[in-house]
């Protein structure tokens, strides 16, 4: 059976914890390739471990999403690896 997001790719900004991580895990469960961007390196590592415990694989990148040039570069890198970018979710809590 084909999953809803099978063959699609996503980046989740703010994906290390909370709503962002929940979104990333849901997308991965639905067959999507997922990369989480966040500034919280330790939480990204924990997110990878949580995904692995569920039998899922998510990519992570330490990215300061307040810096547009860095975000654009990282998006281009991910799209270069995957050949496309289908979904972009912004869950970064910036104050």
């Amino acid at each position: 059976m084909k999953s809803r997001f099978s063959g699609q790719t996503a980046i989740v900004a703010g994906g290390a914890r909370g709503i962002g991580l929940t979104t990333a895990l849901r997308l991965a469960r639905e067959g999507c390739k997922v990369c989480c961007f966040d500034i919280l390196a330790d939480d990204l590592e924990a997110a990878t471990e949580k995904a692995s415990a569920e039998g899922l694989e998510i990519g992570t990148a330490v990215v300061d999403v307040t810096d547009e040039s860095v975000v654009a570069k990282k998006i281009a890198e991910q799209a270069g690896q995957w050949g496309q970018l289908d979904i972009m979710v912004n869950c970064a809590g910036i104050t």
Side-chain angles (χ1 to χ4, degrees):
M1 176 163 56
K2 184 175 179 177
S3 297
R4 182 166 50 164
F5 296 108
S6 182
Q8 294 189 24
T9 60
I11 292 174
V12 180
R17 61 185 182 185
I19 294 170
L21 177 56
T22 301
T23 301
L25 293 173
R26 178 61 186 259
L27 288 166
R29 284 185 207 111
E30 294 281 344
C32 196
K33 293 181 199 171
V34 180
C35 185
C36 295
F37 286 5
D38 210 300
I39 198 166
L40 304 170
D42 291 340
D43 289 341
L44 283 172
E45 186 176 326
T48 301
E49 291 171 8
K50 184 171 185 169
S52 291
E54 290 189 37
L56 303 170
E57 185 177 337
I58 60 171
T60 60
V62 177
V63 179
D64 179 355
V65 298
T66 64
D67 187 336
E68 289 180 41
S69 64
V70 172
V71 172
K73 179 182 174 191
K74 287 293 187 179
I75 289 172
E77 287 175 10
Q78 286 305 128
Q81 288 179 348
W82 294 336
Q84 63 185 16
L85 176 62
D86 300 299
I87 302 165
M88 179 72 192
V89 179
N90 182 19
C91 289
I94 302 168
T95 56

